[in-house]
Amino acid sequence: MKEVVKLKSGAKINLGLGVLSKRHDGYHNVDMIMQTLDLCDFITLKKNQRLGIRVFCNKELDCKEEDNIACKAAKKFLEYVNMQDIFIDVNIEKNIPVCAGLAGGSGNAAAVLVGLDNMLNTDLSIDELTGIGKDLGADVPFCIRGGTMRAIGTGTDLERINSCTKYIVLIVKPKISISTKDAYDKIDLCHGSEKNDKIDNILVGIERNDAKLIAENLFNDLEKSLSGVQRKEINYIKDFLVNMGALNACMSGSGPSVYGIFDDEIVAKRCFESIKAEYKETFLCRPLDYGVKIL
């Protein structure tokens, strides 16, 4: 057993997010293409002396410690491997914005699962880890695997997409808040055809390493659920990015983060400097081919 394990977990964006139908269990069937980015949180797991499972973070989180998804992940893992007599400190250095549609919390949970498996030498398979992750949140299985993936069903059925496409991503998080539950409750669901041509076009763009084709087809059905104030803010940022040279811009997840895709680093940096004066939580990123990495 290791005393300390250090990891990093990347943010994710949705290159395409289609909401297809509402399920009988209250969840929604989706069709998404997700991409991990090199905007990362750093997680340190350390064994403690019977002080329970404790979570520490460099930023204030709007939940009780026991409700933190990283804490829940540790408990779920230890229950699964029948090692509830192990006590862990989880220290999170947060760089990914909170409640931003970037799966920062899900990535932290994924890192805890991968890290405990490494620390305790339990040697679980990826399928076992993602199985534990499904009970924590729909994005956790993706965050364990990472890279470029298509997600269907409730978002936990994943298919690896090999991608070598080079582009720069500029993320902007406004101060408005958007509830994931409200976003799904309000959306006009698609009935009939469950196919979106933009998903196929994004896949072709990835296959051809064509950043412009990918960008042309970015979409997020959850933008349909935005209120007037939310829509105004999201559209303002999208227009700003495009006017400054982005190939296209889109909201990620249930928001409120907006990202733009650039194929020119100088243009991306110029846009970054311009919009950072107005939005503090602004980040330049590139795609990663993994979700969690042991350091």
Side-chain angles (χ1 to χ4, degrees), residues 11-14 17 37 39 95-104 169-178 220 222-223 226 230 233-235 237-238 241 249-260 275 279 281-283 285:
K12 70 88 191 169
I13 55 171
N14 300 88
L17 196 167
L37 301 176
L39 170 60
N95 298 300
I96 303 169
V98 178
C99 300
L102 301 171
V169 179
L170 176 52
I171 293 175
V172 181
K173 187 204 171 190
K175 291 184 178 179
I176 60 172
S177 61
I178 298 174
N220 186 339
L222 291 180
E223 290 188 28
L226 296 172
Q230 293 168 341
E233 183 77 356
I234 298 299
N235 285 342
I237 298 171
K238 288 169 67 175
L241 297 179
C250 189
M251 186 176 79
S252 181
S254 58
S257 293
V258 175
Y259 68 90
I275 201 166
Y279 296 97
E281 291 190 286
T282 299
F283 310 89
C285 319

mmCIF file of all heavy atoms in Angstrom, residues 11-14 17 37 39 95-104 169-178 220 222-223 226 230 233-235 237-238 241 249-260 275 279 281-283 285:
data_model
loop_
_atom_site.group_PDB
_atom_site.id
_atom_site.type_symbol
_atom_site.label_atom_id
_atom_site.label_comp_id
_atom_site.label_asym_id
_atom_site.label_seq_id
_atom_site.Cartn_x
_atom_site.Cartn_y
_atom_site.Cartn_z
ATOM 1 N N ALA A 11 -10.372 18.923 -17.506
ATOM 2 C CA ALA A 11 -11.720 19.406 -17.802
ATOM 3 C C ALA A 11 -12.224 18.757 -19.077
ATOM 4 O O ALA A 11 -11.449 18.200 -19.862
ATOM 5 C CB ALA A 11 -11.707 20.928 -17.961
ATOM 6 N N LYS A 12 -13.528 18.814 -19.291
ATOM 7 C CA LYS A 12 -14.090 18.310 -20.552
ATOM 8 C C LYS A 12 -15.001 19.366 -21.169
ATOM 9 O O LYS A 12 -15.578 20.208 -20.479
ATOM 10 C CB LYS A 12 -14.850 16.996 -20.355
ATOM 11 C CG LYS A 12 -16.174 17.108 -19.580
ATOM 12 C CD LYS A 12 -17.381 17.417 -20.437
ATOM 13 C CE LYS A 12 -18.572 17.769 -19.548
ATOM 14 N NZ LYS A 12 -19.709 18.318 -20.286
ATOM 15 N N ILE A 13 -15.091 19.316 -22.491
ATOM 16 C CA ILE A 13 -16.094 20.090 -23.208
ATOM 17 C C ILE A 13 -16.924 19.132 -24.050
ATOM 18 O O ILE A 13 -16.493 18.021 -24.352
ATOM 19 C CB ILE A 13 -15.479 21.181 -24.113
ATOM 20 C CG1 ILE A 13 -14.452 20.579 -25.084
ATOM 21 C CG2 ILE A 13 -14.901 22.316 -23.283
ATOM 22 C CD1 ILE A 13 -13.956 21.554 -26.144
ATOM 23 N N ASN A 14 -18.103 19.566 -24.423
ATOM 24 C CA ASN A 14 -18.959 18.818 -25.339
ATOM 25 C C ASN A 14 -18.853 19.446 -26.716
ATOM 26 O O ASN A 14 -19.296 20.577 -26.915
ATOM 27 C CB ASN A 14 -20.413 18.856 -24.877
ATOM 28 C CG ASN A 14 -20.599 18.266 -23.496
ATOM 29 O OD1 ASN A 14 -20.485 18.975 -22.499
ATOM 30 N ND2 ASN A 14 -20.882 16.982 -23.446
ATOM 31 N N LEU A 17 -23.723 18.023 -28.249
ATOM 32 C CA LEU A 17 -24.574 17.521 -27.160
ATOM 33 C C LEU A 17 -26.012 17.512 -27.651
ATOM 34 O O LEU A 17 -26.665 18.548 -27.731
ATOM 35 C CB LEU A 17 -24.431 18.399 -25.908
ATOM 36 C CG LEU A 17 -24.945 17.828 -24.582
ATOM 37 C CD1 LEU A 17 -24.449 18.654 -23.396
ATOM 38 C CD2 LEU A 17 -26.471 17.725 -24.521
ATOM 39 N N LEU A 37 -9.564 18.241 -21.870
ATOM 40 C CA LEU A 37 -8.634 19.350 -22.110
ATOM 41 C C LEU A 37 -7.552 19.386 -21.034
ATOM 42 O O LEU A 37 -7.707 18.820 -19.944
ATOM 43 C CB LEU A 37 -9.392 20.682 -22.101
ATOM 44 C CG LEU A 37 -10.512 20.845 -23.125
ATOM 45 C CD1 LEU A 37 -11.216 22.181 -22.910
ATOM 46 C CD2 LEU A 37 -9.985 20.734 -24.553
ATOM 47 N N LEU A 39 -6.713 21.714 -19.100
ATOM 48 C CA LEU A 39 -7.023 22.517 -17.916
ATOM 49 C C LEU A 39 -7.301 21.507 -16.801
ATOM 50 O O LEU A 39 -8.307 20.796 -16.843
ATOM 51 C CB LEU A 39 -8.248 23.402 -18.172
ATOM 52 C CG LEU A 39 -8.842 24.121 -16.957
ATOM 53 C CD1 LEU A 39 -7.829 25.050 -16.307
ATOM 54 C CD2 LEU A 39 -10.102 24.884 -17.362
ATOM 55 N N ASN A 95 -8.291 24.103 -10.304
ATOM 56 C CA ASN A 95 -8.048 25.074 -11.365
ATOM 57 C C ASN A 95 -9.233 25.157 -12.317
ATOM 58 O O ASN A 95 -9.470 26.195 -12.931
ATOM 59 C CB ASN A 95 -6.793 24.682 -12.149
ATOM 60 C CG ASN A 95 -5.551 24.673 -11.280
ATOM 61 O OD1 ASN A 95 -5.182 25.690 -10.713
ATOM 62 N ND2 ASN A 95 -4.914 23.512 -11.137
ATOM 63 N N ILE A 96 -9.982 24.049 -12.441
ATOM 64 C CA ILE A 96 -11.180 24.015 -13.274
ATOM 65 C C ILE A 96 -12.300 24.745 -12.544
ATOM 66 O O ILE A 96 -12.550 24.467 -11.368
ATOM 67 C CB ILE A 96 -11.607 22.560 -13.560
ATOM 68 C CG1 ILE A 96 -10.462 21.781 -14.224
ATOM 69 C CG2 ILE A 96 -12.857 22.522 -14.430
ATOM 70 C CD1 ILE A 96 -10.706 20.275 -14.293
ATOM 71 N N PRO A 97 -12.973 25.683 -13.189
ATOM 72 C CA PRO A 97 -14.070 26.390 -12.523
ATOM 73 C C PRO A 97 -15.145 25.435 -12.004
ATOM 74 O O PRO A 97 -15.403 24.381 -12.580
ATOM 75 C CB PRO A 97 -14.626 27.299 -13.624
ATOM 76 C CG PRO A 97 -13.505 27.473 -14.572
ATOM 77 C CD PRO A 97 -12.743 26.185 -14.552
ATOM 78 N N VAL A 98 -15.765 25.841 -10.887
ATOM 79 C CA VAL A 98 -16.794 25.017 -10.243
ATOM 80 C C VAL A 98 -18.157 25.323 -10.864
ATOM 81 O O VAL A 98 -18.449 26.461 -11.233
ATOM 82 C CB VAL A 98 -16.817 25.315 -8.727
ATOM 83 C CG1 VAL A 98 -17.913 24.519 -8.031
ATOM 84 C CG2 VAL A 98 -15.459 24.999 -8.110
ATOM 85 N N CYS A 99 -18.997 24.293 -10.978
ATOM 86 C CA CYS A 99 -20.363 24.441 -11.521
ATOM 87 C C CYS A 99 -20.331 25.174 -12.852
ATOM 88 O O CYS A 99 -21.014 26.182 -13.054
ATOM 89 C CB CYS A 99 -21.263 25.183 -10.530
ATOM 90 S SG CYS A 99 -21.439 24.353 -8.950
ATOM 91 N N ALA A 100 -19.527 24.641 -13.776
ATOM 92 C CA ALA A 100 -19.244 25.366 -15.007
ATOM 93 C C ALA A 100 -19.583 24.599 -16.278
ATOM 94 O O ALA A 100 -19.376 25.103 -17.373
ATOM 95 C CB ALA A 100 -17.763 25.749 -15.033
ATOM 96 N N GLY A 101 -20.077 23.349 -16.154
ATOM 97 C CA GLY A 101 -20.317 22.539 -17.345
ATOM 98 C C GLY A 101 -19.053 21.924 -17.910
ATOM 99 O O GLY A 101 -19.019 21.501 -19.069
ATOM 100 N N LEU A 102 -17.995 21.836 -17.071
ATOM 101 C CA LEU A 102 -16.694 21.333 -17.508
ATOM 102 C C LEU A 102 -16.308 20.043 -16.806
ATOM 103 O O LEU A 102 -15.183 19.561 -16.962
ATOM 104 C CB LEU A 102 -15.617 22.395 -17.260
ATOM 105 C CG LEU A 102 -15.829 23.741 -17.974
ATOM 106 C CD1 LEU A 102 -14.812 24.773 -17.479
ATOM 107 C CD2 LEU A 102 -15.731 23.580 -19.487
ATOM 108 N N ALA A 103 -17.212 19.483 -16.017
ATOM 109 C CA ALA A 103 -17.013 18.189 -15.335
ATOM 110 C C ALA A 103 -15.824 18.199 -14.387
ATOM 111 O O ALA A 103 -15.179 17.164 -14.180
ATOM 112 C CB ALA A 103 -16.877 17.049 -16.350
ATOM 113 N N GLY A 104 -15.550 19.338 -13.766
ATOM 114 C CA GLY A 104 -14.438 19.401 -12.817
ATOM 115 C C GLY A 104 -14.635 18.464 -11.640
ATOM 116 O O GLY A 104 -13.721 17.723 -11.256
ATOM 117 N N VAL A 169 -8.420 25.669 -27.627
ATOM 118 C CA VAL A 169 -9.733 25.926 -27.038
ATOM 119 C C VAL A 169 -9.606 27.069 -26.038
ATOM 120 O O VAL A 169 -8.744 27.045 -25.160
ATOM 121 C CB VAL A 169 -10.285 24.674 -26.327
ATOM 122 C CG1 VAL A 169 -11.640 24.975 -25.695
ATOM 123 C CG2 VAL A 169 -10.400 23.504 -27.302
ATOM 124 N N LEU A 170 -10.452 28.072 -26.183
ATOM 125 C CA LEU A 170 -10.519 29.176 -25.233
ATOM 126 C C LEU A 170 -11.824 29.058 -24.463
ATOM 127 O O LEU A 170 -12.910 29.097 -25.039
ATOM 128 C CB LEU A 170 -10.446 30.519 -25.971
ATOM 129 C CG LEU A 170 -10.600 31.797 -25.135
ATOM 130 C CD1 LEU A 170 -9.651 31.806 -23.944
ATOM 131 C CD2 LEU A 170 -10.379 33.031 -25.996
ATOM 132 N N ILE A 171 -11.719 28.863 -23.149
ATOM 133 C CA ILE A 171 -12.892 28.707 -22.279
ATOM 134 C C ILE A 171 -13.141 29.994 -21.522
ATOM 135 O O ILE A 171 -12.217 30.606 -20.984
ATOM 136 C CB ILE A 171 -12.677 27.558 -21.278
ATOM 137 C CG1 ILE A 171 -12.612 26.211 -21.994
ATOM 138 C CG2 ILE A 171 -13.783 27.534 -20.223
ATOM 139 C CD1 ILE A 171 -12.283 25.049 -21.085
ATOM 140 N N VAL A 172 -14.393 30.388 -21.463
ATOM 141 C CA VAL A 172 -14.812 31.571 -20.708
ATOM 142 C C VAL A 172 -15.975 31.178 -19.816
ATOM 143 O O VAL A 172 -16.984 30.653 -20.295
ATOM 144 C CB VAL A 172 -15.248 32.718 -21.647
ATOM 145 C CG1 VAL A 172 -15.656 33.940 -20.824
ATOM 146 C CG2 VAL A 172 -14.142 33.066 -22.629
ATOM 147 N N LYS A 173 -15.840 31.431 -18.505
ATOM 148 C CA LYS A 173 -16.952 31.157 -17.590
ATOM 149 C C LYS A 173 -17.525 32.474 -17.081
ATOM 150 O O LYS A 173 -16.865 33.205 -16.351
ATOM 151 C CB LYS A 173 -16.513 30.302 -16.408
ATOM 152 C CG LYS A 173 -17.727 29.895 -15.556
ATOM 153 C CD LYS A 173 -17.391 29.574 -14.130
ATOM 154 C CE LYS A 173 -18.666 29.392 -13.329
ATOM 155 N NZ LYS A 173 -18.425 29.299 -11.885
ATOM 156 N N PRO A 174 -18.774 32.775 -17.441
ATOM 157 C CA PRO A 174 -19.415 33.977 -16.901
ATOM 158 C C PRO A 174 -19.891 33.727 -15.474
ATOM 159 O O PRO A 174 -19.874 32.586 -14.990
ATOM 160 C CB PRO A 174 -20.611 34.189 -17.840
ATOM 161 C CG PRO A 174 -20.935 32.814 -18.331
ATOM 162 C CD PRO A 174 -19.627 32.070 -18.399
ATOM 163 N N LYS A 175 -20.348 34.767 -14.810
ATOM 164 C CA LYS A 175 -20.754 34.641 -13.401
ATOM 165 C C LYS A 175 -22.179 34.138 -13.226
ATOM 166 O O LYS A 175 -22.608 33.861 -12.114
ATOM 167 C CB LYS A 175 -20.569 35.984 -12.688
ATOM 168 C CG LYS A 175 -19.106 36.370 -12.515
ATOM 169 C CD LYS A 175 -18.971 37.656 -11.720
ATOM 170 C CE LYS A 175 -17.501 38.012 -11.509
ATOM 171 N NZ LYS A 175 -17.323 39.274 -10.746
ATOM 172 N N ILE A 176 -22.936 34.037 -14.303
ATOM 173 C CA ILE A 176 -24.296 33.530 -14.180
ATOM 174 C C ILE A 176 -24.251 32.045 -13.809
ATOM 175 O O ILE A 176 -23.251 31.373 -14.018
ATOM 176 C CB ILE A 176 -25.102 33.700 -15.488
ATOM 177 C CG1 ILE A 176 -24.430 32.930 -16.641
ATOM 178 C CG2 ILE A 176 -25.253 35.173 -15.839
ATOM 179 C CD1 ILE A 176 -25.260 32.892 -17.910
ATOM 180 N N SER A 177 -25.343 31.551 -13.218
ATOM 181 C CA SER A 177 -25.423 30.135 -12.871
ATOM 182 C C SER A 177 -26.564 29.487 -13.643
ATOM 183 O O SER A 177 -27.571 30.117 -13.940
ATOM 184 C CB SER A 177 -25.643 29.956 -11.368
ATOM 185 O OG SER A 177 -26.864 30.550 -10.966
ATOM 186 N N ILE A 178 -26.366 28.223 -13.980
ATOM 187 C CA ILE A 178 -27.376 27.455 -14.699
ATOM 188 C C ILE A 178 -27.503 26.102 -14.015
ATOM 189 O O ILE A 178 -26.506 25.387 -13.846
ATOM 190 C CB ILE A 178 -27.002 27.263 -16.182
ATOM 191 C CG1 ILE A 178 -26.904 28.620 -16.894
ATOM 192 C CG2 ILE A 178 -28.021 26.369 -16.881
ATOM 193 C CD1 ILE A 178 -26.398 28.525 -18.333
ATOM 194 N N ASN A 220 -25.116 22.395 -29.042
ATOM 195 C CA ASN A 220 -25.508 21.994 -27.691
ATOM 196 C C ASN A 220 -27.009 22.233 -27.536
ATOM 197 O O ASN A 220 -27.459 23.370 -27.443
ATOM 198 C CB ASN A 220 -24.732 22.809 -26.653
ATOM 199 C CG ASN A 220 -24.990 22.350 -25.227
ATOM 200 O OD1 ASN A 220 -26.004 21.699 -24.945
ATOM 201 N ND2 ASN A 220 -24.112 22.702 -24.324
ATOM 202 N N LEU A 222 -28.835 21.949 -25.091
ATOM 203 C CA LEU A 222 -29.211 22.575 -23.824
ATOM 204 C C LEU A 222 -29.240 24.097 -23.924
ATOM 205 O O LEU A 222 -29.817 24.759 -23.044
ATOM 206 C CB LEU A 222 -28.274 22.128 -22.702
ATOM 207 C CG LEU A 222 -28.401 20.653 -22.286
ATOM 208 C CD1 LEU A 222 -27.415 20.327 -21.172
ATOM 209 C CD2 LEU A 222 -29.821 20.326 -21.850
ATOM 210 N N GLU A 223 -28.663 24.656 -24.968
ATOM 211 C CA GLU A 223 -28.785 26.101 -25.159
ATOM 212 C C GLU A 223 -30.239 26.502 -25.414
ATOM 213 O O GLU A 223 -30.619 27.649 -25.182
ATOM 214 C CB GLU A 223 -27.886 26.569 -26.313
ATOM 215 C CG GLU A 223 -26.398 26.490 -25.989
ATOM 216 C CD GLU A 223 -25.542 27.142 -27.057
ATOM 217 O OE1 GLU A 223 -26.019 28.074 -27.736
ATOM 218 O OE2 GLU A 223 -24.379 26.700 -27.236
ATOM 219 N N LEU A 226 -32.109 27.913 -22.239
ATOM 220 C CA LEU A 226 -31.647 29.110 -21.547
ATOM 221 C C LEU A 226 -32.754 30.142 -21.392
ATOM 222 O O LEU A 226 -33.573 30.338 -22.288
ATOM 223 C CB LEU A 226 -30.481 29.738 -22.316
ATOM 224 C CG LEU A 226 -29.200 28.901 -22.430
ATOM 225 C CD1 LEU A 226 -28.221 29.579 -23.378
ATOM 226 C CD2 LEU A 226 -28.576 28.686 -21.063
ATOM 227 N N GLN A 230 -29.839 34.483 -19.395
ATOM 228 C CA GLN A 230 -28.772 33.517 -19.652
ATOM 229 C C GLN A 230 -28.382 33.502 -21.126
ATOM 230 O O GLN A 230 -27.201 33.522 -21.474
ATOM 231 C CB GLN A 230 -29.225 32.116 -19.223
ATOM 232 C CG GLN A 230 -29.419 31.958 -17.725
ATOM 233 C CD GLN A 230 -30.151 30.664 -17.370
ATOM 234 O OE1 GLN A 230 -30.814 30.062 -18.224
ATOM 235 N NE2 GLN A 230 -30.053 30.246 -16.126
ATOM 236 N N GLU A 233 -26.247 36.507 -22.179
ATOM 237 C CA GLU A 233 -24.859 36.425 -21.737
ATOM 238 C C GLU A 233 -24.081 35.395 -22.547
ATOM 239 O O GLU A 233 -22.948 35.652 -22.988
ATOM 240 C CB GLU A 233 -24.813 36.065 -20.245
ATOM 241 C CG GLU A 233 -23.426 36.027 -19.636
ATOM 242 C CD GLU A 233 -22.852 37.400 -19.357
ATOM 243 O OE1 GLU A 233 -23.499 38.416 -19.703
ATOM 244 O OE2 GLU A 233 -21.744 37.471 -18.821
ATOM 245 N N ILE A 234 -24.667 34.227 -22.747
ATOM 246 C CA ILE A 234 -23.996 33.169 -23.508
ATOM 247 C C ILE A 234 -23.734 33.626 -24.940
ATOM 248 O O ILE A 234 -22.636 33.449 -25.488
ATOM 249 C CB ILE A 234 -24.828 31.875 -23.501
ATOM 250 C CG1 ILE A 234 -24.993 31.330 -22.071
ATOM 251 C CG2 ILE A 234 -24.209 30.823 -24.419
ATOM 252 C CD1 ILE A 234 -23.724 30.979 -21.366
ATOM 253 N N ASN A 235 -24.743 34.226 -25.575
ATOM 254 C CA ASN A 235 -24.583 34.671 -26.959
ATOM 255 C C ASN A 235 -23.571 35.801 -27.084
ATOM 256 O O ASN A 235 -22.853 35.894 -28.093
ATOM 257 C CB ASN A 235 -25.935 35.100 -27.536
ATOM 258 C CG ASN A 235 -26.820 33.917 -27.862
ATOM 259 O OD1 ASN A 235 -26.345 32.791 -27.984
ATOM 260 N ND2 ASN A 235 -28.112 34.157 -28.008
ATOM 261 N N ILE A 237 -20.844 36.164 -25.301
ATOM 262 C CA ILE A 237 -19.503 35.568 -25.268
ATOM 263 C C ILE A 237 -19.219 34.832 -26.573
ATOM 264 O O ILE A 237 -18.121 34.939 -27.141
ATOM 265 C CB ILE A 237 -19.356 34.621 -24.061
ATOM 266 C CG1 ILE A 237 -19.529 35.401 -22.754
ATOM 267 C CG2 ILE A 237 -17.992 33.930 -24.086
ATOM 268 C CD1 ILE A 237 -19.604 34.529 -21.519
ATOM 269 N N LYS A 238 -20.193 34.078 -27.064
ATOM 270 C CA LYS A 238 -20.000 33.358 -28.328
ATOM 271 C C LYS A 238 -19.672 34.332 -29.459
ATOM 272 O O LYS A 238 -18.739 34.102 -30.245
ATOM 273 C CB LYS A 238 -21.261 32.552 -28.662
ATOM 274 C CG LYS A 238 -21.471 31.334 -27.783
ATOM 275 C CD LYS A 238 -22.846 30.713 -27.967
ATOM 276 C CE LYS A 238 -23.040 30.110 -29.321
ATOM 277 N NZ LYS A 238 -24.343 29.397 -29.427
ATOM 278 N N LEU A 241 -16.086 35.767 -29.122
ATOM 279 C CA LEU A 241 -15.050 34.826 -29.531
ATOM 280 C C LEU A 241 -14.963 34.708 -31.051
ATOM 281 O O LEU A 241 -13.872 34.725 -31.633
ATOM 282 C CB LEU A 241 -15.308 33.450 -28.909
ATOM 283 C CG LEU A 241 -15.265 33.361 -27.382
ATOM 284 C CD1 LEU A 241 -15.574 31.938 -26.915
ATOM 285 C CD2 LEU A 241 -13.926 33.815 -26.827
ATOM 286 N N ALA A 249 -18.077 28.903 -31.696
ATOM 287 C CA ALA A 249 -18.142 28.880 -30.243
ATOM 288 C C ALA A 249 -19.428 28.191 -29.810
ATOM 289 O O ALA A 249 -20.423 28.177 -30.541
ATOM 290 C CB ALA A 249 -18.076 30.298 -29.677
ATOM 291 N N CYS A 250 -19.407 27.625 -28.594
ATOM 292 C CA CYS A 250 -20.535 26.835 -28.122
ATOM 293 C C CYS A 250 -20.510 26.790 -26.598
ATOM 294 O O CYS A 250 -19.452 26.959 -25.979
ATOM 295 C CB CYS A 250 -20.430 25.410 -28.681
ATOM 296 S SG CYS A 250 -21.869 24.362 -28.423
ATOM 297 N N MET A 251 -21.659 26.558 -25.979
ATOM 298 C CA MET A 251 -21.725 26.321 -24.544
ATOM 299 C C MET A 251 -21.328 24.872 -24.268
ATOM 300 O O MET A 251 -21.625 23.981 -25.055
ATOM 301 C CB MET A 251 -23.145 26.586 -24.026
ATOM 302 C CG MET A 251 -23.282 26.515 -22.509
ATOM 303 S SD MET A 251 -24.950 26.962 -21.933
ATOM 304 C CE MET A 251 -25.829 25.422 -22.272
ATOM 305 N N SER A 252 -20.668 24.634 -23.138
ATOM 306 C CA SER A 252 -20.277 23.277 -22.765
ATOM 307 C C SER A 252 -21.217 22.723 -21.702
ATOM 308 O O SER A 252 -21.542 23.409 -20.721
ATOM 309 C CB SER A 252 -18.845 23.254 -22.220
ATOM 310 O OG SER A 252 -18.471 21.925 -21.890
ATOM 311 N N GLY A 253 -21.662 21.487 -21.890
ATOM 312 C CA GLY A 253 -22.536 20.857 -20.909
ATOM 313 C C GLY A 253 -23.775 21.683 -20.659
ATOM 314 O O GLY A 253 -24.355 22.266 -21.575
ATOM 315 N N SER A 254 -24.171 21.766 -19.389
ATOM 316 C CA SER A 254 -25.317 22.609 -19.032
ATOM 317 C C SER A 254 -24.887 24.033 -18.727
ATOM 318 O O SER A 254 -25.679 24.840 -18.243
ATOM 319 C CB SER A 254 -26.054 22.000 -17.831
ATOM 320 O OG SER A 254 -25.181 21.860 -16.726
ATOM 321 N N GLY A 255 -23.630 24.356 -19.036
ATOM 322 C CA GLY A 255 -23.137 25.716 -18.887
ATOM 323 C C GLY A 255 -22.768 26.041 -17.449
ATOM 324 O O GLY A 255 -22.762 25.188 -16.580
ATOM 325 N N PRO A 256 -22.434 27.331 -17.236
ATOM 326 C CA PRO A 256 -22.514 28.429 -18.197
ATOM 327 C C PRO A 256 -21.250 28.657 -19.028
ATOM 328 O O PRO A 256 -21.186 29.632 -19.779
ATOM 329 C CB PRO A 256 -22.755 29.638 -17.291
ATOM 330 C CG PRO A 256 -21.951 29.318 -16.061
ATOM 331 C CD PRO A 256 -22.084 27.821 -15.882
ATOM 332 N N SER A 257 -20.239 27.785 -18.908
ATOM 333 C CA SER A 257 -19.005 28.027 -19.648
ATOM 334 C C SER A 257 -19.237 27.970 -21.155
ATOM 335 O O SER A 257 -19.993 27.132 -21.651
ATOM 336 C CB SER A 257 -17.929 27.003 -19.268
ATOM 337 O OG SER A 257 -17.526 27.187 -17.934
ATOM 338 N N VAL A 258 -18.564 28.870 -21.859
ATOM 339 C CA VAL A 258 -18.588 28.918 -23.321
ATOM 340 C C VAL A 258 -17.158 28.709 -23.798
ATOM 341 O O VAL A 258 -16.205 29.178 -23.170
ATOM 342 C CB VAL A 258 -19.113 30.282 -23.819
ATOM 343 C CG1 VAL A 258 -19.027 30.372 -25.338
ATOM 344 C CG2 VAL A 258 -20.541 30.505 -23.344
ATOM 345 N N TYR A 259 -17.002 27.970 -24.885
ATOM 346 C CA TYR A 259 -15.662 27.788 -25.434
ATOM 347 C C TYR A 259 -15.661 28.133 -26.919
ATOM 348 O O TYR A 259 -16.668 28.009 -27.613
ATOM 349 C CB TYR A 259 -15.173 26.341 -25.225
ATOM 350 C CG TYR A 259 -15.919 25.315 -26.034
ATOM 351 C CD1 TYR A 259 -15.495 24.963 -27.312
ATOM 352 C CD2 TYR A 259 -17.073 24.712 -25.537
ATOM 353 C CE1 TYR A 259 -16.191 24.036 -28.074
ATOM 354 C CE2 TYR A 259 -17.778 23.781 -26.282
ATOM 355 C CZ TYR A 259 -17.334 23.449 -27.548
ATOM 356 O OH TYR A 259 -18.027 22.539 -28.295
ATOM 357 N N GLY A 260 -14.506 28.564 -27.381
ATOM 358 C CA GLY A 260 -14.297 28.793 -28.796
ATOM 359 C C GLY A 260 -13.151 27.922 -29.284
ATOM 360 O O GLY A 260 -12.218 27.639 -28.524
ATOM 361 N N ILE A 275 -10.555 39.168 -23.754
ATOM 362 C CA ILE A 275 -11.753 38.810 -22.988
ATOM 363 C C ILE A 275 -11.458 38.575 -21.510
ATOM 364 O O ILE A 275 -12.347 38.685 -20.663
ATOM 365 C CB ILE A 275 -12.451 37.587 -23.614
ATOM 366 C CG1 ILE A 275 -13.923 37.536 -23.164
ATOM 367 C CG2 ILE A 275 -11.701 36.291 -23.305
ATOM 368 C CD1 ILE A 275 -14.782 36.594 -23.962
ATOM 369 N N TYR A 279 -13.780 38.816 -18.182
ATOM 370 C CA TYR A 279 -14.145 37.571 -17.513
ATOM 371 C C TYR A 279 -12.893 36.951 -16.904
ATOM 372 O O TYR A 279 -12.021 36.453 -17.618
ATOM 373 C CB TYR A 279 -14.792 36.599 -18.505
ATOM 374 C CG TYR A 279 -16.098 37.085 -19.065
ATOM 375 C CD1 TYR A 279 -16.140 37.717 -20.309
ATOM 376 C CD2 TYR A 279 -17.289 36.926 -18.364
ATOM 377 C CE1 TYR A 279 -17.335 38.177 -20.834
ATOM 378 C CE2 TYR A 279 -18.497 37.381 -18.880
ATOM 379 C CZ TYR A 279 -18.506 38.000 -20.116
ATOM 380 O OH TYR A 279 -19.705 38.457 -20.637
ATOM 381 N N GLU A 281 -12.397 34.205 -15.141
ATOM 382 C CA GLU A 281 -12.192 32.767 -15.330
ATOM 383 C C GLU A 281 -12.166 32.445 -16.831
ATOM 384 O O GLU A 281 -13.154 32.022 -17.425
ATOM 385 C CB GLU A 281 -13.273 31.971 -14.597
ATOM 386 C CG GLU A 281 -13.137 32.078 -13.084
ATOM 387 C CD GLU A 281 -14.043 31.116 -12.355
ATOM 388 O OE1 GLU A 281 -15.258 31.373 -12.334
ATOM 389 O OE2 GLU A 281 -13.552 30.120 -11.792
ATOM 390 N N THR A 282 -11.016 32.690 -17.419
ATOM 391 C CA THR A 282 -10.788 32.481 -18.842
ATOM 392 C C THR A 282 -9.512 31.663 -19.007
ATOM 393 O O THR A 282 -8.511 31.938 -18.337
ATOM 394 C CB THR A 282 -10.655 33.840 -19.569
ATOM 395 O OG1 THR A 282 -11.857 34.575 -19.403
ATOM 396 C CG2 THR A 282 -10.392 33.652 -21.046
ATOM 397 N N PHE A 283 -9.535 30.662 -19.892
ATOM 398 C CA PHE A 283 -8.435 29.713 -19.967
ATOM 399 C C PHE A 283 -8.158 29.314 -21.414
ATOM 400 O O PHE A 283 -9.081 29.081 -22.190
ATOM 401 C CB PHE A 283 -8.763 28.438 -19.176
ATOM 402 C CG PHE A 283 -9.240 28.696 -17.778
ATOM 403 C CD1 PHE A 283 -10.596 28.889 -17.522
ATOM 404 C CD2 PHE A 283 -8.350 28.757 -16.713
ATOM 405 C CE1 PHE A 283 -11.046 29.135 -16.236
ATOM 406 C CE2 PHE A 283 -8.794 29.001 -15.428
ATOM 407 C CZ PHE A 283 -10.150 29.191 -15.185
ATOM 408 N N CYS A 285 -6.594 26.321 -23.660
ATOM 409 C CA CYS A 285 -6.389 24.884 -23.462
ATOM 410 C C CYS A 285 -6.124 24.190 -24.796
ATOM 411 O O CYS A 285 -6.374 24.733 -25.858
ATOM 412 C CB CYS A 285 -7.630 24.229 -22.835
ATOM 413 S SG CYS A 285 -8.430 25.178 -21.544
#
